[in-house]
Structure formats: C-alpha cells, structure tokens
Amino acid sequence: RIEIGWLVNLILCVCVCVCVLTGGDVCITGHDSGPVFEEQPSSVVYPEGLSKGTVTLNCQARASPAATYRWHVNGTNVPVGDLRYTLVAGNLVISGPQYGSDGGSYQCLAMNRCGTILSRVANLKFGYLHDFSGEGQSPQTVYEGAGAFLACQAPAHYPALSYRWFVNDFPSFVKPDGGRWFVSQVTGNLYLAKAEPNDTASYFCFTTIDMDISTKSTFSKANQLTVQPDANTRKSAPAIKVLPDPCYYPILKVDGLLPSKAGASAEGPILTLPEITFHDEGVYECEAYNSEGRDKHQGRINVQAQPEWLQVMSDSEVEISSELHWTCVAAGKPRPSIRWLRNGQPLSTQDRVEVNGGRLKVINLALEDSGMYQCVAENKHDTIYSNAELRVQVQAPDFRSNPVRRLVPAARGGQVMLECRPRAAPKPTLFWSRGTELLTNSSRYTKPQHANCKHMETFGIIKITFPASSPRVTKETIGDLLIVSGQLSQAGTYSCTAQTVVDSASASAKLVVRGPPGPPGGLVVKNVAETSAELRWSRGYDNHSPIGKYVIMGCSPLSSGWRTMRTEPSNIEGNAESARVVGLLPWMDYEFQVIASNILGSGEPSMSSHTVRTQQAAPTVAPSGLGGGGGDRNELIITWTPMAREYQNGDGFGYILAFRKRNTPTWVVERVSNVESSRYVYSNQSLSPYCPFEVKIKAYNRKGEGPFSQIALVHSAEEEPTVAPLRINATALTAFEMQVSWDPVQHLSANGILRGYEIRYWRQHEREAAADRVRTAGLETTARVAGLRPSTRYHVTVLAYNSAGTGPASPKSTVTTRRPPPNRPPGNVFWKTDGSWVTVRWDHVKALGNESAVLGYKHEGQSALKVLDKGKTSVTLPLPKDNGYVVLEIRSWGEGGDGAAHETIVSRDSGETD
C-alpha cells in the first residue's frame, strides 16, 4: 500500500485563488435572506366627498434581518410621518383621503441589507355617482305586439354602474318575463319585445355603484310608456338593432363551428358562452325572422387575458467573475411586455448587463451585482412580478469540507485516483506535487479535467445503487438482488461487483421484462371517402410478447370522447399495419388512434392522427317534426325540426318542401336555403280558410337531395268565426262579481276550430272600445267575472274566437252590481273560556244606506269556514289541546259579499274565565 503523509512521499494539492474582502453592512451567506412579499397592496375605490375615514394599503414581507418599508405614489416618496400618512408595520394608512391630492398609483418598497423589492401597483381612485337630470323624457307610445326601448341616460359616475328598472313604485323591478324584457348592462337601456297592453306604466332607471366601503344608488325621472291596442295588427320584417346588446336566435359562428357549450340564457334569447377560452374567438351571427322577412347581424368576440407566468427565475448563488443567465416567460393577450428591476430600480442593457425581453445576462459578476431582482410582465389588464435573490460569492480555497485523504489503498500494478476538491470562489487553479517535485502529465500521472465525475456507463452496464427502503428492489441476502413488480424500464444488463480494498471482480446478467406493447408510431390517414378512411401505422415495441391485435379509436366534435371504431377487417391481426375505418359520417371531422395489445394487456395509444374531414355526400335522412298550421288569413305555415349537424352531410345545405291540397294531383315545390330554418310561410289570396294540405319535406346539399319524409296533414290559416252567440244573460252575484251565460254557436269546421268565448264588459259611461276582456279556456257557456265595481251598471257582450281572432259580438246584456258589504268589521269582540271551550261574542254590524244588508256572519280559524245567520252574534269553539292559540276572523256577509274582518287571537291564558 502507499502511505501519504505531510512529510514522507507527500502528494500535495495546492490551490491558488484571489480572496476579496468587503466591509460594511453586507448580506451574510447562510444567515441572511432578502425580502419576499407575503401581502401586497390592492386597489381601492374610495367615496368622493367622504371626509372622515381611512384607507389602508397592506404590505408585509418576510426577510432576515427584518425588512424596512418605504412607499411611492406616482413615482415619488410618500411623506410618511405627515399627519395624514401613518406606517403601521409595513402598511400605509391614509386618514381622510382627499380627491386630487391622494389619488394615484401606490407601490411598497421592502428592503434589508440583502436587497430591495417593489410591490405591485395599487390604485387609489375616488368613486362618485351624480343624480339624474331633472328633466324627464318624452312619453312613448307603441302599438300592441311592437317593440320599444327606453333610454336610461345615466348620470356621471365612476366606476361602472349596474342597471335595473322598476315599474311605477320601488321596488317593483322589471323581470325577464320569457325574454320580452332586457336591460343592457353597457348602456342601461331597457328593451321590450312584443309589447302587451298591461306594459303601460311609468318606468324608472335604477343605477347602483359599488365601492370598497359603501354602495350608492339613484334613479331617474319617470319614463312613461303607453301600449295601445291595434285592431289591424301591422306586420313588418324584423330589424336587429342590438349593439351592444345580444342577438336573437338562431346564432351561428361564421368562421367555424358554434361551440358545443354555447346555449341560451334562462333570461331570454341571449347567447351564453360559459368558461370562455381563446378557441371561442371569432365572428358570430344572429338572425331574426318572421313571415315578412329576416335580418342578420354580426359581431366579433375577442378573448384577452391578463399575464400569467410560464417560467420564472429562482434564487441563485454564483461565484464571482462567472456569468448569470435568467429567463422569464409569461403568457397573456395582448402579449405581455417584460422588464427587469434590481433592488427596485430599472435594469437595462449597459456595460456587463444585457437585457433582451425575458432574458437577462450578466457577465463577469461582481459583488455589487448581489441583490434582489424582479421580472415584471404587464399588459393592459394587469402587471405581475416574479422575485429572486442573487448572491455573488467570493471565498479563499478551503479544504475543510473536502479534505485530501491521508491514506489511499491501491493494488500493485493497478490504478489509483486522488481527489482534490477545495471550496473556493472564483474557481481555483489546481496543481499537484510529490514531495518537492511538481507533477505534470506523463505516462504515469494525469490530471483529468473532470476528476469529480463518478458516473460509469458502458455497453448497457450500469453501476446501480438502491435505497434500502425501495418498495420494488430488496436485498434478500448479501450479494442477492430481488426485484418485485418489475417494470419495463427495469429491463437491461445488471452487473454485480465484489471489491476488496485493493481489487475487485464483476459478473453481469441480462434482465428481460415482458409487458403490453408500446404505442404504434407513424399513424397517417389516407384515402378519405364519404364514410370511410384508410389508416396506416408502424409497429411499436412488442415488449418481448408478440402483438395479438390492434384496435382503432376515433373521436369527432359530436362524440363525448374516444370510442372504438368499426373497421375492415373487423378483427385487425397483430402483423397488420393498415386497416380501413368504416361507418363514418360524411362531412365530419375525425381524429384517430391505434392501440396494440398482446396476452399481457393493451398498451398505450398511438399519438393522435391529424384531423381529417370525410367527403361530402347527399343527405340520407329526412327532417323530422313536420307539422304547422295557424298564421294569418290566406297563409299556410309549415314547420319542422332543423337537421342536426351529423345529418347534413355537406355544405350548401337547405330544405325542399312539397305541398298540395288534399285530393289534388299537383305538388307545389319550394326551396329554403337556411340550415337553421324551421318554418316556411306560403301566402296565396286564393287559399280558403282551414283547408287541409298534404306536406312532405326533404334535405339537400351541394352533393344532391335526400329522401322525402312521410306526408303530414297541415291546415291553412283559420278565419274568424262568422256567428255570434245568442241569449246572453248577465247576473250580479255580489258587489264585485257577476255570472254570464249564453247559448253556444254552431261549430263551422270550414272556417276553423272554435277555441272558446270572449266576454267583453264595460261601464255604462265608457266606450265599448275600452272594454275589459276575459276569455274562457274551452267551450263552456257560463263564466264568472270578478274585479267589478259595486253599485255599477255594466254592459256585457260575448264573442266566439279561434286562432284567427274573434267573431261578431252578441247583443248586449246589462247588469248592475250589488251594493258593497259593510266597510266595518264586527266590533266589541270579547270571549270567555270554560274548560276546553271558548265563547266569542260581538256586536251586530249595521249597514249604511249605500251598503248591502247584513244577512249573517262568517268565522274562520282552526276549523273550516262556517256561516252563521243574521240573528246569531256569538259562537262557541273548542280550544287547542296544547297551550297554543287560535287566530279567529269574524266578518259580516250579505248580497254584496263579505265585509271587513275582525281578527283576534284566542288562547287558554287570555280572555275571561268562568
């Protein structure tokens, strides 16, 4: 063996370096750490004109030694110590913020002797909401069935408002009502579709502004809207005026397929796109149509996003005179710009520093380069910061952590390696000596450039070390190796080495691990036809077990995930490298994968193929849901269900309608070119009312026409009834109700289907045109009409109606409602309890001259409603079995109806007791 000492046969490693000493308050390696933000300030909206109050901007950082803080506003120092500015820990407290002097952009600086970092920007802004103008808007009048909008004309404000409208009195807010109403949250305007008579009212725009510490609301002057009935309903083609408000269905994406997640809002015909992504960008088109025509409108959706880090730098310790390379990458739209800060100050290209977007390079590092660095990414939506600490180290050579070994065993005639690894910065120069002899490269001595490399890998033989607690690799006995639950990655050649202090011997063995096949490669799609496509691939690794078969998986925009595809041949053998996928839909996008399997299982799928679209073909199925009917005079309306995307088979898609009068030979053929269409209106002045038509439909595209559907029977529009009901009789039931009866009209099938009857009634001094109207739901010939005025003379007439409208009015009948019931409740109500019973008494109610006579009394409480005759002014009732109570209502009744009620609470522990 060779003994190595300090004096005898000494092999000495000598290191040369430059030691740099610095003084002052410096960051101590292994002890100090630069500041890192734990809490940063957030923007605040403060109410303008609020004299008493405070705003707190938070700033806390962890650091060793503890951080100190400064604040900047609009780039200048905040005068902390001023009466209105207080620093609490790192937080800035502003007392009585003032508009004009305190508004601006605030940033916190946290610092210690290791460096300085700058917080994100927090804006202090002042919110306000002025009152609406004192001038009201001109009243608006629209006809029934038309559309209208009321302008909000919001007052000056900051920040953005939320808008609601209320009707007549607060808080009766406008509700969606099936999509007839829409409030724009951009302009505040109120839009109304298909006005109804009961929409006549006063409308008020109600605006609300939310600030961080308060909320303020105000509302406009009344906007009067009057809806007038129009006997001759006018028809006009639709006109879309929606910017910046939503469109009416149908809606399509002009530059691609409409996202499958798109849907209608529950509040009406509004397109909603939940969880919007960049893939949803594009041009969208909405279309409105009726029997008179159609209108289209397009709008673009641009999706933007605030910055988000994809790659950031991390804390680094580097030696003096070396190079620093840091990279920051951020995503966002618009694309974020990136800038750099060192200790809170901007960093730009100069001297040893090179800044290139998200890349920072510093060469020949010096001690003054140590500090806190920040990478800042910003676009118009937000600014984000990433922090890292740089420590430039300098150290004289030190062998204490890796001393040179004093004794190294070696075999005679063998080789020996001596390590020299001092800790030093910058990198030291190394040389060796033996005794007083300086060693150089020779046939026996070498100085390798990478003396510290211990990795040995030659011809698949690897030096392996296993952790003692490895779950799959254990040593059963000394020298034995056991692998449990072997993995494919553990296959290879294993080498076992026995070693003494002076020599070693090795033996090797090859381990083969069998498993499911690996993924096939090189998947391509060729010869794409209307309903089929050819796939070719190359074999993947069989993992030492022959491939038995292949399965082809596919997906399309209509499928919820990958599914097994039909193929020719149906069973693809393991030696195959191609197959044809069949049963595809024409004009549909597909992706494919191939999975190999053997007796040990199925492997991972291949990479997905590129997306292919099958060839177009003529439609193969007919539209469903064929029907129709209704509409206006001389019209035949035909409706159907629009064809789903999977049945269209090609572009240039539309519908062909064929219809004829029943029992006639000639078909009328019409083409409808819009894929989203679901109805067609045929107008002809010679059409007789409620005439039966045979109707059929088929689809077409640029490749041809599909089959016709089965024939459906559809009737042309009905005409109003031509016969009036007779023998009208109106009888007053109370002061507020009457009963109307009449003889039924003869049902005329040639004109349409009788739907029911309409009762019109008006007061004697009113015009018939202003009559109130009530319709029966079926063919009953009696009806009760409520909501009348007491002691009032009414005229009553009855009309038959169908889907086309009402027929002629019957002769008038006249009725006078009864006098009203007494307006006073029973008085002097008292009661006595007797065991489990209570007797309640009251004074008789006397009717006034203009009131109907009292015929009796009614009481209602724990039991059902009971009626007493006029002479009885008391009632005996059972008390509740528990200690509860009974709420008892007592009222008079007579020909005019029920009078006012007296409500009293009766219990065991109240009233008089016998």
Side-chain angles (χ1 to χ4, degrees):
R1 69 182 182 180
I2 301 175
E3 291 187 355
I4 299 179
W6 288 105
L7 298 175
V8 181
N9 294 333
L10 177 65
I11 298 179
L12 179 64
C13 172
V14 181
C15 304
V16 179
C17 75
V18 177
C19 180
V20 179
L21 299 178
T22 62
D25 191 14
V26 297
C27 186
I28 302 174
T29 301
H31 180 268
D32 294 348
S33 60
V36 177
F37 281 120
E38 292 184 323
E39 189 172 8
Q40 299 190 55
S42 299
S43 295
V44 176
V45 177
Y46 189 82
E48 183 179 311
L50 183 62
S51 58
K52 295 183 179 180
T54 60
V55 167
T56 301
L57 301 176
N58 297 324
C59 182
Q60 296 294 323
R62 68 175 185 273
S64 179
T68 58
Y69 302 90
R70 286 205 320 268
W71 282 83
H72 285 170
V73 56
N74 300 327
T76 62
N77 286 330
V78 174
V80 175
D82 184 288
L83 292 177
R84 296 192 306 109
Y85 301 102
T86 307
L87 200 62
V88 180
N91 303 336
L92 178 66
V93 180
I94 307 174
S95 300
Q98 299 174 3
Y99 175 76
S101 60
D102 294 322
S105 300
Y106 288 78
Q107 280 186 288
C108 172
L109 289 81
M111 61 201 78
N112 68 1
R113 62 192 179 201
C114 292
T116 301
I117 55 175
L118 196 62
S119 76
R120 68 189 177 202
V121 174
N123 294 310
L124 172 56
K125 295 186 178 181
F126 290 81
Y128 61 92
L129 174 59
H130 294 172
D131 290 331
F132 277 87
S133 169
E135 298 179 1
Q137 299 184 36
S138 300
Q140 290 196 45
T141 301
V142 297
Y143 285 102
E144 181 180 359
F149 87 95
L150 301 176
C152 179
Q153 298 180 350
H157 60 274
Y158 179 84
L161 296 173
S162 62
Y163 298 91
R164 290 188 292 174
W165 285 73
F166 65 86
V167 187
N168 293 333
D169 297 302
F170 182 86
S172 300
F173 287 103
V174 170
K175 298 180 179 178
D177 190 15
R180 290 197 313 119
W181 295 98
F182 173 76
V183 178
S184 168
Q185 293 304 314
V186 178
T187 64
N189 294 345
L190 176 66
Y191 294 83
L192 168 62
K194 198 175 181 182
E196 297 177 355
N198 57 8
D199 295 327
T200 297
S202 295
Y203 293 83
F204 300 81
C205 181
F206 187 82
T207 61
T208 301
I209 185 172
D210 287 319
M211 292 172 279
D212 292 278
I213 64 173
S214 67
T215 298
K216 183 177 180 181
S217 299
T218 185
F219 58 88
S220 68
K221 298 293 184 182
N223 293 259
Q224 183 63 39
L225 176 65
T226 302
V227 181
Q228 292 187 350
D230 189 357
N232 299 316
T233 304
R234 307 173 195 178
K235 295 182 183 178
S236 61
I240 299 176
K241 298 176 181 178
V242 297
L243 285 176
D245 301 309
C247 298
Y248 288 84
Y249 273 115
I251 298 179
L252 57 89
K253 195 166 188 278
V254 176
D255 49 358
L257 295 177
L258 190 68
S260 58
K261 63 185 177 182
S265 166
E267 296 185 354
I270 302 172
L271 176 67
T272 59
L273 292 173
E275 299 178 359
I276 197 164
T277 68
F278 289 114
H279 298 293
D280 299 322
E281 281 195 331
V283 178
Y284 290 76
E285 180 180 275
C286 67
E287 182 179 14
Y289 55 86
N290 62 14
S291 60
E292 302 302 306
R294 61 187 65 236
D295 189 20
K296 294 181 180 180
H297 179 79
Q298 289 185 353
R300 170 172 288 278
I301 292 180
N302 292 315
V303 180
Q304 299 192 349
Q306 60 190 23
E308 179 182 5
W309 289 121
L310 300 179
Q311 180 182 346
V312 295
M313 71 282 200
S314 56
D315 294 345
S316 298
E317 292 186 359
V318 296
E319 62 187 33
I320 196 168
S321 301
S322 63
E323 288 190 359
L324 171 72
H325 294 269
W326 266 340
T327 301
C328 284
V329 181
K333 191 174 181 181
R335 182 185 297 276
S337 62
I338 294 183
R339 53 188 173 89
W340 294 81
L341 304 175
R342 179 170 61 196
N343 291 328
Q345 298 299 318
L347 202 58
S348 59
T349 299
Q350 58 180 348
D351 299 332
R352 298 176 293 108
V353 178
E354 179 182 336
V355 176
N356 183 14
R359 294 185 176 87
L360 173 65
K361 176 181 178 183
V362 184
I363 62 173
N364 194 21
L365 283 165
L367 286 178
E368 59 265 26
D369 295 320
S370 296
M372 299 302 297
Y373 288 73
Q374 291 178 284
C375 183
V376 185
E378 57 188 333
N379 64 13
K380 66 181 182 180
H381 300 295
D382 200 5
T383 302
I384 56 176
Y385 293 74
S386 174
N387 308 335
E389 182 177 358
L390 173 64
R391 294 190 178 181
V392 179
Q393 294 187 338
V394 57
Q395 182 180 356
D398 186 349
F399 282 94
R400 285 177 296 182
S401 59
N402 296 295
V404 177
R405 295 178 61 184
R406 290 181 175 272
L407 181 64
V408 179
R412 185 185 300 274
Q415 292 183 348
V416 65
M417 185 178 74
L418 308 178
E419 288 186 338
C420 177
R421 292 190 296 136
R423 185 173 182 178
K427 187 176 181 180
T429 301
L430 306 177
F431 61 89
W432 289 85
S433 66
R434 184 171 184 266
T436 59
E437 176 187 1
L438 184 66
L439 299 179
T440 60
N441 287 337
S442 66
S443 59
R444 296 187 62 221
Y445 297 102
T446 303
K447 273 189 281 179
Q449 294 297 314
H450 303 287
N452 294 337
C453 179
K454 294 185 176 181
H455 183 63
M456 298 167 16
E457 184 172 348
T458 307
F459 304 111
I461 301 175
I462 305 173
K463 181 178 180 181
I464 306 172
T465 57
F466 298 105
S469 60
S470 172
R472 292 196 302 267
V473 182
T474 59
K475 294 178 180 179
E476 290 292 320
T477 59
I478 296 177
D480 295 341
L481 178 67
L482 173 65
I483 299 177
V484 181
S485 301
Q487 305 293 310
L488 292 172
S489 60
Q490 293 173 330
T493 301
Y494 287 76
S495 177
C496 175
T497 300
Q499 184 172 352
T500 67
V501 295
V502 296
D503 207 352
S504 63
S506 299
S508 301
K510 186 175 182 180
L511 173 64
V512 175
V513 179
R514 306 182 190 275
L523 177 61
V524 295
V525 184
K526 295 185 175 181
N527 302 326
V528 180
E530 296 172 350
T531 59
S532 64
E534 182 181 345
L535 270 60
R536 296 183 181 178
W537 62 89
S538 58
R539 294 168 58 87
Y541 294 112
D542 62 7
N543 289 327
H544 309 292
S545 179
I547 297 175
K549 67 174 183 176
Y550 290 97
V551 173
I552 295 178
M553 310 295 291
C555 74
S556 72
L558 302 177
S559 60
S560 58
W562 293 92
R563 61 184 183 89
T564 304
M565 308 301 291
R566 290 170 48 203
T567 60
E568 290 180 355
S570 56
N571 295 316
I572 308 173
E573 297 182 353
N575 59 356
E577 293 188 343
S578 66
R580 175 163 289 277
V581 182
V582 297
L584 304 179
L585 297 174
W587 198 54
M588 186 60 63
D589 294 335
Y590 287 95
E591 292 181 45
F592 300 100
Q593 292 178 342
V594 180
I595 298 176
S597 60
N598 58 21
I599 59 173
L600 298 174
S602 297
E604 293 293 321
S606 68
M607 292 186 63
S608 300
S609 70
H610 64 280
T611 302
V612 297
R613 175 168 288 187
T614 51
Q615 298 293 318
Q616 300 187 34
T620 57
V621 297
S624 61
L626 185 61
D632 294 322
R633 183 175 299 180
N634 306 127
E635 285 185 348
L636 172 66
I637 296 181
I638 304 171
T639 60
W640 63 92
T641 303
M643 292 277 277
R645 171 66 176 80
E646 59 263 39
Y647 303 119
Q648 294 174 16
N649 290 3
D651 56 8
F653 185 87
Y655 305 95
I656 297 176
L657 288 165
F659 51 92
R660 66 182 180 186
K661 289 184 180 180
R662 188 168 58 179
N663 301 326
T664 61
T666 305
W667 291 91
V668 178
V669 178
E670 297 286 350
R671 298 172 76 90
V672 180
S673 60
N674 190 339
V675 64
E676 298 292 341
S677 294
S678 61
R679 71 198 301 266
Y680 174 78
V681 179
Y682 173 70
S683 297
N684 191 316
Q685 294 299 319
S686 64
L687 278 182
S688 55
Y690 205 61
C691 177
F693 279 79
E694 293 178 327
V695 179
K696 57 184 179 180
I697 188 172
K698 64 181 176 181
Y700 74 90
N701 58 25
R702 67 176 66 256
K703 281 292 185 178
E705 300 176 358
F708 267 120
S709 67
Q710 292 186 342
I711 293 176
L713 191 66
V714 178
H715 287 81
S716 61
E718 301 177 49
E719 287 187 359
E720 300 89 344
T722 58
V723 179
L726 298 175
R727 297 179 62 185
I728 309 303
N729 182 40
T731 304
L733 299 178
T734 67
F736 314 103
E737 287 185 307
M738 66 177 172
Q739 179 167 296
V740 184
S741 61
W742 58 91
D743 286 349
V745 301
Q746 295 299 318
H747 178 56
L748 303 178
S749 59
N751 243 25
I753 298 177
L754 186 64
R755 307 290 180 181
Y757 297 91
E758 180 177 285
I759 303 169
R760 298 182 182 179
Y761 56 98
W762 65 98
R763 286 180 288 170
Q764 186 173 18
H765 64 277
E766 293 178 332
R767 294 183 298 109
E768 183 176 353
D772 290 317
R773 306 176 184 192
V774 175
R775 282 190 170 183
T776 65
L779 301 182
E780 296 86 355
T781 57
T782 60
R784 293 170 70 99
V785 178
L788 305 179
R789 298 189 180 188
S791 305
T792 302
R793 189 175 181 82
Y794 283 90
H795 298 299
V796 183
T797 187
V798 181
L799 308 83
Y801 75 91
N802 59 17
S803 64
T806 55
S810 70
K812 288 189 298 185
S813 178
T814 303
V815 62
T816 300
T817 53
R818 299 183 184 276
R819 287 179 296 173
N823 192 34
R824 296 163 310 288
N828 195 24
V829 179
F830 67 98
W831 65 92
K832 286 185 177 180
T833 57
D834 181 11
S836 59
W837 295 84
V838 61
T839 300
V840 184
R841 302 181 184 278
W842 59 90
D843 289 347
H844 176 65
V845 177
K846 185 177 181 180
L848 301 179
N850 62 342
E851 296 175 338
S852 59
V854 175
L855 299 181
Y857 298 92
K858 296 180 180 180
H859 69 86
E860 184 175 10
Q862 189 176 23
S863 58
L865 175 68
K866 292 187 178 180
V867 180
L868 308 175
D869 60 29
K870 177 180 177 180
K872 193 164 185 178
T873 57
S874 66
V875 64
T876 300
L877 301 171
L879 283 167
K881 293 182 180 179
D882 54 13
N883 291 325
Y885 60 90
V886 175
V887 178
L888 186 65
E889 284 189 354
I890 303 171
R891 70 180 76 237
S892 62
W893 67 273
E895 292 181 346
D898 292 345
H902 179 98
E903 181 179 283
T904 186
I905 299 176
V906 178
S907 63
R908 290 182 180 272
D909 56 355
S910 63
E912 300 179 9
T913 305
D914 287 337

